[in-house]
């Protein structure tokens, strides 16, 4: 009840301020504008209100359902799933509840379970273009394209101006390598729903793959006008810059993405990879380490982490991770060589003399890189093409 009273006082103060502005404006006095209430603040206020309602009446399934959707918008997937499961346990035969559960499961990257919930919603007569579009999207995620198209046609029969339906059709075309058709569907999505975030991400990705970097950046920047604090858009911009070899700009975008969303493992990994390839191993290490701790099974992250540890002088720890790689694949020659180098360095204080490149950077400044050993006795002058040499 205390939270409810605080919310009431909050909105009462806004009303009093607005009424004061109106009365003062009649006298010709300028009043500063009322601070804008963000959408997230509105959702938090609504969640607090529903929480109080649930405490007062815990058997109301509708309040759990409404709060689950608000949690979903705030990307609190676990809380959203708990609420919708509670709503279903109270009233197990409401189609919209299963539709909400399918949305939540889709957001948690579980398309199989999401499809089960969405199909249950359909059985319970929760018919709507949104449900049919959701079913179509889930089937296309599972690469069952004919079923996906059938549901998308149903959706368009009910609501021919549903932008998300065209987006899912574009996803299917893109998976079937029909890029031109996919781009047409995505443009149609933009015309019907210009603030739809996934379409900007997809267009930026496609144009990056087509090496049309200016167009890719154009769509990423357009998306940022609607979603200025979306980490995935900055991640995509970073990918575009990296593929166009604008590495400084890529790092700036990746860092912005990490600041906005610390869970973006790809941004950490890609930043570390850029520094690693530049032989700035000390700068690479913290980013690769973060990516490794986020997901140790992320492609190449354990090997790259071991290399960063080795090249910055932590040979014992590097050997541990190289050995783990060998335990899972005894034929991993890269890890085998890493163990050999690390053990040799720890035992003799130097790398084997037969290595062409020195990797030990423990005594180097941050940006200095090891010099490649060149056997000058083996260098011979090149003969110009087309000219006979005596």
């Amino acid at each position: 009840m205390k939270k409810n009273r605080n919310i009431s006082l909050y909105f009462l103060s806004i009303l009093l301020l607005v009424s004061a502005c109106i009365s003062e404006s009649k006298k010709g006095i300028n009043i500063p504008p009322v601070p804008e209430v963000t959408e997230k603040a509105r959702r938090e206020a609504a969640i607090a209100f529903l929480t109080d309602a649930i405490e007062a009446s815990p058997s109301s399934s509708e309040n759990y359902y409404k709060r689950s959707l608000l949690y979903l918008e705030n990307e609190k997937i676990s809380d959203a799933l708990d609420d919708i499961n509670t709503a279903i346990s109270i009233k197990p035969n409401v189609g919209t509840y299963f539709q909400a559960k399918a949305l939540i499961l889709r957001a948690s990257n579980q398309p199989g379970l999401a499809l089960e919930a969405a199909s249950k919603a359909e059985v319970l007569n929760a018919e709507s273009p949104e449900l049919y579009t959701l079913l179509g999207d889930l089937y296309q995620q599972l690469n069952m394209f004919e079923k996906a198209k059938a549901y998308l046609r149903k959706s368009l029969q009910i609501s021919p101006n549903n932008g998300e339906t065209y987006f899912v059709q574009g996803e299917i075309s893109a998976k079937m390598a029909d890029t031109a058709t996919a781009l047409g569907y995505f443009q149609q999505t933009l015309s019907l729903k210009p603030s739809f975030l996934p379409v900007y991400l997809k267009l930026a990705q496609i144009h990056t793959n087509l090496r049309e970097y200016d167009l890719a950046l154009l769509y990423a920047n357009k998306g940022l006008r609607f979603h200025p604090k979306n980490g995935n858009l900055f991640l995509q911009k970073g990918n575009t810059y990296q593929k166009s070899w604008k590495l400084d700009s890529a790092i700036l975008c990746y860092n912005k993405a990490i600041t906005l969303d610390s869970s973006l493992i790809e941004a950490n990994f890609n930043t570390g990879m850029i520094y690693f390839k530049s032989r700035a191993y000390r700068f690479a290490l913290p980013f690769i380490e973060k990516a490794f701790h986020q997901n140790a099974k992320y492609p190449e992250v354990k090997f790259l982490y071991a290399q960063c540890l080795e090249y910055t002088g932590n040979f014992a720890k590097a050997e541990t991770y190289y050995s783990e790689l060998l335990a899972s694949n005894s034929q991993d020659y890269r890890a085998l060589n890493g163990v050999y180098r690390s053990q040799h360095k720890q035992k003799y204080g130097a790398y084997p003399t037969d290595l062409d490149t020195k990797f030990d950077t423990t005594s180097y400044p941050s940006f200095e890189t090891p010099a490649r050993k060149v056997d000058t006795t083996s260098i011979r002058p090149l003969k110009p093409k087309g000219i006979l040499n005596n």
Side-chain angles (χ1 to χ4, degrees):
M1 294 304 292
K2 185 177 179 181
K3 289 182 181 178
N4 199 10
R5 186 167 58 252
N6 290 337
I7 294 168
S8 300
L9 289 172
Y10 172 72
F11 285 109
L12 181 60
S13 63
I14 292 178
L15 288 173
L16 289 173
L17 182 57
V18 171
S19 62
C21 291
I22 294 171
S23 61
E24 293 298 329
S25 65
K26 291 178 181 178
K27 299 177 184 178
I29 300 173
N30 291 326
I31 302 295
V34 179
E36 182 182 352
V37 180
T38 64
E39 189 62 34
K40 186 174 182 180
R42 291 191 187 95
R43 287 198 298 269
E44 292 294 345
I47 287 171
F49 177 81
L50 287 169
T51 300
D52 286 341
I54 287 169
E55 289 175 358
S57 179
S59 61
S60 174
S61 62
E62 190 70 10
N63 288 332
Y64 285 105
Y65 162 69
K66 291 177 180 177
R67 194 172 68 170
S68 73
L69 294 177
L70 291 169
Y71 278 139
L72 176 60
E73 289 185 52
N74 279 355
E75 298 182 352
K76 295 181 178 180
I77 306 301
S78 179
D79 292 335
L81 191 57
D82 288 342
D83 268 6
I84 199 61
N85 282 334
T86 303
I88 291 171
S89 68
I90 297 170
K91 280 192 177 181
N93 295 316
V94 181
T96 52
Y97 292 0
F98 284 94
Q99 184 175 341
K101 184 174 182 177
L103 288 169
I104 295 164
L105 290 168
R106 182 179 67 173
S108 63
N109 296 316
Q110 300 181 73
L113 293 176
L115 181 59
E116 290 180 18
S119 299
K120 179 73 172 179
E122 185 185 17
V123 170
L124 293 170
N125 297 319
E127 296 181 359
S128 68
E130 290 78 18
L131 175 60
Y132 290 140
T133 298
L134 174 60
L135 282 161
D137 184 34
L138 294 170
Y139 275 118
Q140 75 83 16
Q141 287 188 36
L142 298 169
N143 296 324
M144 301 170 71
F145 299 136
E146 293 307 316
K147 284 191 174 183
K149 290 177 182 178
Y151 278 107
L152 295 175
R153 284 194 294 269
K154 282 186 179 182
S155 176
L156 290 174
Q157 286 172 0
I158 302 171
S159 178
N161 294 320
N162 190 333
E164 292 186 35
T165 309
Y166 292 104
F167 177 77
V168 179
Q169 287 183 316
E171 289 268 68
I172 294 171
S173 297
K175 283 188 175 182
M176 297 178 73
D178 190 351
T179 305
T181 302
L183 290 172
Y185 281 129
F186 292 147
Q187 290 296 339
Q188 203 160 358
T189 302
L190 276 184
S191 65
L192 294 168
K193 197 169 184 178
S195 64
F196 191 52
L197 172 62
V199 75
Y200 289 107
L201 291 168
K202 187 61 66 173
L203 283 167
Q205 180 185 21
I206 287 176
H207 286 295
T208 297
N209 292 339
L210 293 173
R211 299 184 182 179
E212 297 171 348
Y213 303 122
D214 290 340
L215 274 175
L217 292 172
L218 174 68
Y219 284 114
N221 288 328
K222 280 186 176 181
L224 285 169
R225 293 177 193 171
F226 294 102
H227 308 278
K229 294 185 178 181
N230 184 269
N232 283 299
L233 281 169
F234 282 101
L235 171 61
Q236 183 55 55
K237 278 188 71 174
N239 289 342
T240 303
Y241 279 127
Q242 184 176 2
K243 289 195 175 181
S244 60
W245 291 97
K246 296 178 180 178
L247 302 182
D248 289 340
S249 296
I251 288 175
L252 287 174
C253 287
Y254 287 143
N255 286 335
K256 182 67 174 178
I258 294 166
T259 301
L260 292 169
D261 186 352
S262 59
S263 68
L264 291 174
I265 183 173
E266 187 180 349
N268 279 312
F269 182 83
N270 288 355
T271 304
M273 180 62 78
I274 291 172
Y275 282 129
F276 184 89
K277 288 185 175 180
S278 302
R279 292 193 176 186
Y281 303 123
R282 283 183 176 80
F283 284 172
L285 180 59
F287 291 100
I288 297 299
E289 186 173 24
K290 285 179 186 175
F292 175 75
H293 288 307
Q294 284 176 301
N295 181 5
K297 294 183 179 180
Y298 193 80
E300 292 292 302
V301 71
K302 182 179 282 190
F303 177 70
L304 199 62
Y305 184 38
Q307 282 190 304
C308 283
L309 289 168
E310 179 193 348
Y311 298 170
T312 54
N314 197 338
F315 302 104
K317 195 171 182 180
E319 183 186 348
T320 299
Y321 289 115
Y322 284 136
S323 298
E324 287 182 8
L325 289 167
L326 281 174
S328 59
N329 179 12
S330 61
Q331 303 301 315
D332 189 340
Y333 69 92
R334 299 180 306 170
L336 189 62
N337 288 336
V339 169
Y340 170 61
R341 291 193 307 268
S342 298
Q343 288 180 345
H344 197 284
K345 179 69 176 181
Q346 291 175 85
K347 187 174 182 180
Y348 300 106
Y351 275 121
T353 56
D354 58 341
L355 288 184
D356 290 334
T357 305
K358 287 280 187 179
F359 291 114
D360 184 7
T361 64
T362 51
S363 62
Y364 287 72
S366 297
F367 272 115
E368 193 173 353
T369 58
R372 181 176 292 276
K373 293 171 63 179
V374 179
D375 182 9
T376 55
T377 60
S378 65
I379 296 178
R380 298 289 184 272
L382 294 175
K383 294 183 179 181
K385 291 183 179 180
I387 300 176
L388 295 175
N389 293 277
N390 296 324

